[in-house]
Amino acid sequence: MQDIPRILLTSLCSIVILFFLAKLMGNRQVSQMSLFDYINGITIGSIAAEFATSLEDDFWKPLAAMVLYGVVTAVISIATCKSMRIRKFINGQPVILYENGKLYEKNLSAAKLDINEFLTQCRTAGYFDLSQLHTAILETNGQMSFLPLAEQRPVTPQDLQMSPQPERPCVNVILDGRILAENLKYTGNDDTWLQKQLDAQHVDKVEDVFLATVNAQNELTVYPRTGERVAHEMFE
């Protein structure tokens, strides 16, 4: 029982250290990690677990190892940003698996992919017929990119000689019953405009609004609080 406070303390320390190491190494999703990033992440996590449960006085050893792994990973990450040669050596290069109606079996073999896995990836991306594809590339993060044939790609406004109005992300101006003053100012509006818009949509109090957004056309969309819990069986 006397070891419990120490375990709690070292566990808390490992969480704090992992947080700062993650910030140091950069924010990446698992799908964006290179093989090197993935292996280092697992290693650092294993060392952190050992550090958190260390009952000996030499807990500084896994701590030092964890920090060293994190710093080295960060240094290599910076080096790959600065040098193309290092980037190619560490991360590798994209591999062309299919192009202009040709499957490159040696490239598939080098990428450790069999034909069934490749076809599965194609179907997952919506391509059930290889003749719809121009190129398929295995990226350095393990994801597969597909370029459809020109006649198979979606029609764009440019194809139709149309000039649509420019878009921008909707801006949140009310969140959880609170006006976001800076966001409202960013849209070019003020409290008076906002109140008029709320009145026009028969919203009495800002506190009754769960979310309100302004789009590129300067239109306010309001999502009031419902206070309801809804369950549908359509997904069962």
Side-chain angles (χ1 to χ4, degrees):
M1 294 293 292
Q2 65 269 20
D3 294 326
I4 292 180
R6 178 168 182 171
I7 292 177
L8 292 175
L9 179 61
T10 54
S11 298
L12 181 61
C13 290
S14 68
I15 292 173
V16 173
I17 294 169
L18 280 176
F19 173 79
F20 284 108
L21 288 179
K23 287 291 186 182
L24 178 66
M25 291 184 291
N27 299 324
R28 289 189 179 184
Q29 297 179 359
V30 174
S31 61
Q32 297 173 323
M33 288 183 175
S34 66
L35 181 62
F36 180 79
D37 295 329
Y38 181 70
I39 293 173
N40 270 327
I42 293 176
T43 304
I44 292 173
S46 299
I47 297 173
E50 181 182 348
F51 168 65
T53 57
S54 177
L55 300 178
E56 304 295 334
D57 292 333
D58 59 351
F59 64 88
W60 59 270
K61 293 181 179 179
L63 172 61
M66 185 166 55
V67 172
L68 179 62
Y69 264 94
V71 171
V72 170
T73 302
V75 170
I76 291 178
S77 179
I78 294 172
T80 56
C81 292
K82 300 292 185 180
S83 171
M84 183 176 294
R85 288 186 178 181
I86 297 177
R87 183 161 60 246
K88 288 182 178 180
F89 178 76
I90 297 294
N91 297 332
Q93 298 183 64
V95 179
I96 297 176
L97 305 177
Y98 176 88
E99 188 176 37
N100 291 325
K102 293 182 180 180
L103 269 171
Y104 296 101
E105 64 275 10
K106 289 189 176 181
N107 288 10
L108 284 167
S109 178
K112 305 299 187 295
L113 280 173
D114 59 47
I115 186 63
N116 288 332
E117 290 178 287
F118 171 72
L119 293 175
T120 298
Q121 292 286 342
C122 292
R123 290 193 297 269
T124 302
Y127 299 102
F128 288 77
D129 187 349
L130 291 182
S131 63
Q132 298 175 341
L133 282 174
H134 181 277
T135 307
I137 301 173
L138 181 65
E139 305 292 353
T140 57
N141 62 358
Q143 299 294 307
M144 204 171 291
S145 300
F146 300 95
L147 176 66
L149 292 173
E151 57 269 23
Q152 295 291 336
R153 65 178 175 82
V155 177
T156 65
Q158 185 177 7
D159 295 331
L160 302 177
Q161 297 182 349
M162 297 173 59
S163 299
Q165 294 296 320
E167 288 289 343
R168 73 176 184 196
C170 287
V171 180
N172 300 333
V173 294
I174 299 178
L175 195 63
D176 201 14
R178 185 170 62 89
I179 297 176
L180 305 179
E182 291 296 325
N183 289 6
L184 182 61
K185 182 179 178 181
Y186 173 78
T187 64
N189 301 302
D190 54 20
D191 291 339
T192 303
W193 176 89
L194 180 61
Q195 190 59 53
K196 288 182 179 179
Q197 295 295 320
L198 293 175
D199 292 340
Q201 299 191 37
H202 308 290
V203 177
D204 297 327
K205 296 186 299 183
V206 174
E207 290 77 10
D208 295 333
V209 178
F210 191 43
L211 173 67
T213 62
V214 176
N215 62 15
Q217 288 72 43
N218 205 37
E219 298 170 337
L220 182 73
T221 303
V222 177
Y223 302 91
R225 298 182 188 273
T226 62
E228 301 175 1
R229 182 176 180 180
V230 180
H232 294 299
E233 297 182 357
M234 67 177 70
F235 304 113
E236 296 182 358

